[in-house]
């Protein structure tokens, strides 16, 4: 049936497929677009539809629902879409393919007055794909935490809001879209100000602008946001452009920034007004710390004005001996705190001992920074140093005093005392000068490297010593203040301390120590004076011993004279009287003569004994060595094993003078320090005629590379003076053997 009441021309040119269906489902008419739509999927074949049941163009699984829709429509024929809004209608082409469609129904009066229904069918495959894509985009936008708003570029009316925007604004979507503008959400921004902010993206001069604002929620709360707003060219609706705003909640960041600003203000106050020195440093181009900022306390500690240290390397104000230490490099190779005691240099050049505690600050733009707390510990370090120095001085004085009591030869004692003065004062050289014959005898000398035992008197002139003797007190001066004639020897830089050798009776000489640290000279002066006193004591003891020996000789002579007077002379007188009496009496002459001769023989013996005592020398060198060795024993109380050749006494006086002190020193060291159970002494001449002294023990031993004490240095000096050598063989736990070898003459 052809449509008589419907404009045939309209149906033929209609853009959608149009079919007329009778109440029983028979197709009465189909326009060309319907024939194409229901033909093949590629449009190459048109369908034949008139006279056929509409069910043939519905998929079999959808036919029951389609018939139900058709029956309902026949009962109530009105213009409407087929099915419910949620219904998905499907159609079937002639080739069997299925496609989604949208069907609009409208009743039509036919000439036969039978009711017809006009169905306008539209393929919505593309629209459904677009809907799915749109839904996917919406779901994605709703899944992000940031708010997304799309608003008209003229009216600023919001056209789209995602779930994030709903949460940020506290309003449902229905209240936002088409009812509110962006100005309603950010009332603090005026229209003119907002337009001014949006102008760069509206004109295309900028791709995006950032606007920081606060969304006003219905409950009165505010949510701080940072909006990045763009104006995409394709965002048009009804010919209008749109802005796309992505809003990020920055409430936590804003609170953190406020807290950071408050913390920085507090830190700044604590840093600036701190009662201890503080530094902020970062690694410079050389990788070592450079000062970004130093507080007032640190600047005052080192004598600088505020800001004067900024930008300078920490190494510039660090003592040279501490610059090569590992703390600076370690501080930048790994995180964490470091604590170190180091020396800074005051602007005046003085040394400040400090305790530095440094730790990483928060990284700024990838740049590491460190905060250092610096406490001045100079007084503590100086007190500890003075304590240690006093202890070392007392130990040295005790050792020197013991050697003096052991009757150490004066040259050796003066050499040991001078070496101790140089070592304890940290000087470069030391000398002992004793006044002799209008000049000074150089009695002993020592340097920081070796001890010199002066055995031959050397007369020199020393104006500095003259001034010390004249004033009777110590002179402390700088090397630069002395002329080349003030001292008879060369001196290096540093302070010079010249102390008198004072005894109760007189000033015995002068001790001069050079190269002393000028900053410590006033503290070390007392040490030099103490050791000068020991040198004076050594000279005085030597004089007392010589006087004691002289008095002993005088006493012996007095005793012998008394013996001669009281015994010998009386016997001779008695013998003479007997001879005289015998001559006068003439009787018993033989008996009296024999008795007198016997008394004369006894008197002669007495005279011989007296002469022997007068002419007898001191015990020979062999006996003296044996007697000396008998005075030592091991820590366990075992006597020393003694083996002294009888021909030892044949050595020259020059060698003999050094032999007894050497044996005494070697046995003393072994007895006091070895912790041995056996000590042996062997003195002999070897095959080449050289005198050899060997002292061995089975004690603890030591590392041969360890520094040697005064005793070994003195023994070595004696051997060197005589053209000999000293060999030491020792290992920890294996005992020690010292061999002293010198020519016999």
């Amino acid at each position: 049936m052809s449509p008589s009441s419907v404009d045939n021309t309209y149906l033929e040119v209609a853009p959608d497929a149009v079919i007329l269906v009778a109440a029983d489902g028979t197709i009465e008419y189909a326009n060309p677009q319907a024939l194409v739509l229901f033909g093949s999927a590629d449009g190459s074949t048109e369908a034949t539809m008139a006279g056929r049941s509409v069910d043939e163009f519905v998929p079999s699984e959808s036919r029951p629902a389609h018939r139900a829709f058709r029956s309902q429509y026949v009962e109530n024929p009105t213009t409407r879409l087929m099915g419910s809004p949620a219904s998905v209608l499907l159609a079937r082409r002639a080739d069997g393919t299925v496609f989604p469609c949208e069907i609009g129904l409208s009743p039509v009066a036919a000439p036969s007055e039978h009711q017809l229904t006009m169905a306008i069918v539209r393929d919505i495959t593309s629209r459904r794909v677009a809907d799915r894509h749109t839904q996917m985009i919406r779901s994605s936008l709703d899944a992000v935490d940031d708010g997304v708003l799309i608003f008209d570029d003229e009216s600023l009316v919001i056209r789209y809001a995602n779930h994030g925007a709903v949460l940020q604004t506290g309003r449902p979507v229905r209240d936002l879209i088409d009812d509110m503008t962006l100005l309603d959400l950010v009332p603090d921004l005026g229209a003119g100000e907002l337009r001014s902010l949006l102008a760069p993206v509206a004109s295309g001069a900028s791709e995006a602008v950032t606007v920081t604002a606060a969304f006003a929620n219905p409950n009165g709360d505010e949510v701080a946001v940072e909006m990045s707003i763009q104006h995409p060219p394709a965002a048009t609706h009804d010919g209008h452009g749109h802005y796309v705003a992505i809003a990020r909640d920055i409430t936590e960041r804003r609170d953190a920034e406020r807290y950071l600003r408050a913390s920085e203000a507090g830190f700044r106050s604590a840093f600036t007004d701190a009662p201890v020195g503080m530094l902020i440093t970062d690694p410079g181009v050389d990788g070592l710390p450079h000062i970004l900022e130093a507080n007032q306390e640190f600047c005052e500690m080192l004598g600088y004005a505020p800001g004067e240290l900024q930008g300078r390397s920490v190494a510039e104000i660090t003592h040279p001996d501490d610059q090569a230490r590992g703390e600076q490099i370690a501080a930048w190779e790994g995180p964490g705190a470091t604590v170190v005691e180091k020396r800074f240099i005051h602007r005046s050049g003085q040394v400040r001992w400090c305790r530095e505690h440094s730790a990483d600050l928060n990284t700024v733009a990838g740049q590491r920074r460190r905060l250092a707390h610096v406490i001045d510990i100079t007084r503590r370090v100086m007190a500890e140093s003075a304590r240690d120095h006093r202890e070392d001085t007392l130990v040295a004085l005790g050792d020197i005093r013991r050697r003096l009591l052991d009757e150490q030869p004066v040259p050796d004692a003066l050499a040991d005392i001078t070496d101790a003065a140089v070592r304890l004062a940290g000087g470069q050289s030391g000398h002992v000068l004793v006044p002799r014959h209008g000049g000074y005898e150089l009695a002993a000398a020592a340097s920081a490297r070796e001890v010199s035992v002066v055995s031959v008197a050397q007369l020199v002139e020393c104006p500095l010593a003259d001034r010390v003797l004249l004033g009777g007190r110590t002179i402390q001066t700088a090397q630069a203040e002395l002329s080349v004639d003030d001292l008879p020897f060369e001196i290096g830089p540093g302070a010079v301390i010249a102390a008198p050798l004072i005894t109760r009776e007189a000033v015995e000489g002068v001790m001069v120590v050079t190269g002393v640290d000028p900053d410590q000279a006033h503290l070390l002066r007392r040490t030099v004076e103490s050791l000068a006193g020991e040198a004076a004591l050594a000279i005085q003891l030597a004089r007392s011993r010589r006087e004691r020996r002289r008095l002993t000789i005088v006493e012996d002579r007095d005793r012998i004279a008394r013996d001669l007077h009281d015994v010998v002379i009386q016997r001779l007188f008695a013998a003479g009287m007997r001879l005289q009496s015998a001559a006068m009496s003439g009787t018993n002459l033989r008996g009296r003569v024999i008795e007198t001769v016997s008394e004369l023989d006894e008197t002669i013996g007495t005279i011989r004994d007296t002469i022997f005592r007068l002419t007898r020398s001191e015990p020979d060198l062999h006996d003296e060595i044996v007697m000396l060795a008998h005075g030592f024993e091991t820590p366990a109380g075992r006597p020393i094993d003694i083996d002294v050749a009888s021909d030892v006494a044949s050595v020259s006086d020059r060698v003999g003078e050094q032999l007894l002190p050497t044996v005494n020193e070697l046995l003393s060291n072994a007895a006091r320090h070895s912790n041995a159970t056996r000590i042996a002494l062997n003195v002999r001449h070897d095959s080449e005629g050289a005198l050899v002294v060997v002292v061995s023990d089975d004690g603890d031993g030591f590392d041969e590379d360890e520094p040697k004490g005064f005793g070994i240095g003195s023994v070595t000096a004696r051997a060197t003076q005589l053209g000999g050598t000293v060999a030491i063989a020792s290992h920890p736990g294996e005992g020690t053997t010292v061999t002293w070898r010198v020519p016999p003459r």
Side-chain angles (χ1 to χ4, degrees):
M1 173 183 291
S2 62
S4 59
S5 59
V6 181
D7 189 348
N8 186 62
T9 302
Y10 169 76
L11 296 177
E12 294 292 326
V13 299
D16 296 322
V18 180
I19 60 175
L20 297 179
V21 182
D24 61 358
T26 301
I27 298 174
E28 300 289 343
Y29 169 80
N31 71 347
Q33 287 73 17
L35 299 179
V36 173
L37 178 62
F38 286 94
S40 60
D42 58 5
S44 60
T45 304
E46 294 184 356
T48 301
M49 302 184 70
R52 299 175 64 182
S53 172
V54 72
D55 288 344
E56 297 181 31
F57 299 96
V58 177
S60 57
E61 63 272 15
S62 300
R63 288 174 185 171
H66 184 270
R67 293 191 187 103
F69 290 146
R70 195 169 67 229
S71 299
Q72 293 172 4
Y73 185 78
V74 171
E75 293 177 359
N76 183 23
T78 58
T79 301
R80 64 177 186 272
L81 291 175
M82 186 175 184
S84 63
S87 301
V88 178
L89 302 180
L90 298 175
R92 178 177 178 277
R93 295 188 178 91
D95 61 0
T97 59
V98 177
F99 62 91
C101 62
E102 182 182 74
I103 303 175
L105 302 178
S106 179
V108 178
S112 62
E113 297 183 357
H114 290 175
Q115 182 178 335
L116 296 177
T117 300
M118 181 172 64
I120 301 174
V121 183
R122 181 175 298 166
D123 186 348
I124 61 171
T125 301
S126 298
R127 190 173 74 188
R128 299 230 10 211
V129 172
D131 288 344
R132 285 196 298 271
H133 182 66
T134 300
Q135 185 59 36
M136 181 184 66
I137 293 175
R138 288 177 180 271
S139 298
S140 299
L141 291 176
D142 286 337
V144 300
D145 294 332
D146 294 339
V148 179
L149 296 170
I150 300 175
F151 54 95
D152 190 277
D153 60 0
E154 291 185 2
S155 64
L156 303 181
V157 173
I158 298 172
R159 302 301 184 188
Y160 171 78
N162 74 335
H163 184 66
V166 170
L167 295 177
Q168 291 174 355
T169 62
R171 292 177 170 84
V173 173
R174 64 179 179 273
D175 291 348
L176 292 171
I177 297 177
D178 296 333
D179 287 336
M180 300 187 69
T181 68
L182 187 62
L183 291 173
D184 295 328
L185 297 179
V186 286
D188 292 341
L189 285 177
E193 184 181 1
L194 181 58
R195 293 287 184 185
S196 176
L197 292 173
L198 297 176
V201 292
S203 64
S206 177
E207 292 185 359
V209 295
T210 301
V211 177
T212 301
F215 286 156
N217 289 348
N219 58 7
D221 294 338
E222 288 188 347
V223 177
V225 294
E226 183 179 77
M227 292 186 291
S228 176
I229 304 177
Q230 298 180 350
H231 190 266
T236 60
H237 178 72
D238 297 333
H240 294 168
H242 286 79
Y243 291 109
V244 178
I246 301 176
R248 175 159 295 176
D249 188 341
I250 60 170
T251 302
E252 291 185 1
R253 190 180 78 185
R254 182 188 63 182
D255 294 342
E257 289 174 350
R258 290 175 178 171
Y259 176 78
L260 179 60
R261 285 193 294 271
S263 297
E264 288 178 347
F267 171 79
R268 180 60 52 194
S269 176
F271 179 85
T272 303
D273 302 330
V276 298
M278 297 181 71
L279 290 174
I280 298 177
T281 60
D282 70 347
V285 295
D286 55 2
L288 293 177
H290 284 67
I291 299 172
L292 290 178
E293 192 170 354
N295 72 344
Q296 183 174 351
E297 181 69 19
F298 184 82
C299 293
E300 291 179 354
M301 185 189 304
L302 298 185
Y304 290 92
E308 196 171 355
L309 292 174
Q310 189 170 353
R312 296 179 63 176
S313 170
V314 175
E316 294 181 38
I317 56 174
T318 301
H319 193 281
D321 292 344
D322 290 341
Q323 290 179 12
R325 294 171 64 188
E327 74 270 12
Q328 292 179 350
I329 297 175
W332 298 108
E333 285 186 346
T338 59
V339 180
V340 65
E341 292 186 358
K342 58 186 291 188
R343 288 165 288 181
F344 285 104
I345 304 299
H346 191 273
R347 188 169 192 169
S348 64
Q350 295 180 341
V351 174
R352 290 286 188 270
W353 272 99
C354 297
R355 179 180 176 87
E356 179 184 287
H357 184 287
S358 62
D360 283 344
L361 288 173
N362 291 331
T363 301
V364 178
Q367 186 71 47
R368 286 188 63 195
R369 294 183 177 181
R370 289 181 74 84
L371 173 66
H373 293 74
V374 183
I375 301 174
D376 190 341
I377 58 172
T378 303
R379 290 186 178 180
R380 191 204 78 192
V381 172
M382 296 304 295
E384 292 175 351
S385 177
R387 179 200 63 199
D388 295 341
H389 183 76
R390 285 194 301 271
E391 291 178 356
D392 292 342
T393 302
L394 291 175
V395 170
L397 291 174
D399 191 50
I400 290 169
R401 191 68 58 86
R402 180 192 60 77
R403 292 171 185 272
L404 292 177
L405 294 177
D406 289 343
E407 298 191 5
Q408 183 184 29
V410 173
D412 295 345
L414 293 179
D416 289 347
I417 294 169
T418 307
D419 179 70
V422 173
R423 179 173 57 84
L424 293 173
Q428 293 298 317
S429 67
H431 299 80
V432 173
L433 301 117
V434 179
R436 294 281 190 277
H437 310 298
Y440 292 92
E441 176 186 329
L442 190 60
S447 71
R449 293 174 297 277
E450 60 184 7
V451 180
S452 175
V453 179
V454 180
S455 61
V456 179
Q458 180 179 356
L459 290 180
V460 296
E461 293 183 358
C462 183
L464 178 61
D466 291 340
R467 297 200 296 272
V468 173
L469 292 181
L470 183 62
R473 59 184 180 181
T474 302
I475 292 178
Q476 174 189 324
T477 184
Q479 178 265 346
E481 298 176 0
L482 297 174
S483 67
V484 294
D485 298 327
D486 280 332
L487 290 170
F489 38 79
E490 295 183 359
I491 61 174
V496 176
I497 301 176
L501 277 59
I502 300 177
T503 64
R504 292 182 179 180
E505 292 79 14
V507 178
E508 302 288 351
V510 178
M511 174 180 284
V512 181
V513 179
T514 68
V516 178
D517 183 355
D519 294 333
Q520 304 295 322
H522 64 289
L523 299 175
L524 300 172
R525 173 174 174 166
R526 187 170 299 176
T527 299
V528 175
E529 291 174 340
S530 298
L531 290 165
E534 294 300 312
L537 178 62
I539 295 174
Q540 187 180 38
L541 282 175
R543 185 184 299 116
S544 299
R545 287 165 183 160
R546 288 195 300 271
E547 183 66 18
R548 184 182 63 189
R549 285 194 294 270
R550 187 187 67 80
L551 290 175
T552 300
I553 293 174
V554 170
E555 290 174 354
D556 284 346
R557 288 176 178 175
D558 288 344
R559 179 179 53 78
I560 293 171
R562 287 194 302 271
D563 290 346
L564 288 174
H565 178 272
D566 296 341
V567 178
V568 176
I569 292 178
Q570 294 298 325
R571 287 182 177 179
L572 288 175
F573 181 78
M577 292 296 291
R578 289 190 186 94
L579 289 175
Q580 186 178 8
S581 174
M584 293 176 62
S585 65
T587 60
N588 197 18
L589 180 62
R590 178 179 176 85
R592 292 187 175 183
V593 169
I594 292 173
E595 182 182 356
T596 300
V597 170
S598 176
E599 289 183 359
L600 288 175
D601 287 339
E602 291 179 3
T603 302
I604 291 171
T606 301
I607 293 173
R608 284 176 177 173
D609 290 341
T610 302
I611 293 172
F612 177 76
R613 286 196 296 270
L614 285 173
T615 59
R616 185 187 179 196
S617 63
E618 296 293 327
D620 65 17
L621 192 59
H622 174 277
D623 294 339
E624 287 188 287
I625 294 173
V626 172
M627 286 188 294
L628 176 66
H630 279 305
F632 292 92
E633 60 184 15
T634 67
R638 176 179 174 177
I640 305 297
D641 295 341
I642 304 171
D643 182 9
V644 182
S646 59
D647 61 350
V648 168
S650 64
V651 300
S652 66
D653 292 339
R654 182 168 176 264
V655 174
E657 289 177 357
Q658 303 297 337
L659 180 56
L660 279 175
T662 297
V663 172
N664 181 74
E665 182 60 44
L666 295 178
L667 290 177
S668 176
N669 281 347
R672 289 189 296 117
H673 302 306
S674 68
N675 196 27
T677 59
R678 177 183 176 277
I679 300 175
L681 168 67
N682 181 276
V683 185
R684 68 185 188 283
H685 287 92
D686 63 11
S687 59
E688 297 177 2
L691 178 64
V692 180
V693 177
V694 180
V695 175
S696 61
D697 63 73
D698 62 353
D700 296 336
F702 58 89
D703 190 344
E704 295 180 9
D705 294 330
E706 292 180 357
K708 308 302 186 296
F710 292 156
I712 294 299
S714 180
V715 167
T716 302
R718 291 192 188 94
T720 303
Q721 180 184 355
L722 297 172
T725 59
V726 174
I728 301 174
S730 182
H731 296 284
E734 298 180 9
T736 302
T737 299
V738 181
T739 303
W740 191 80
R741 183 179 185 276
V742 296
R745 300 293 176 187

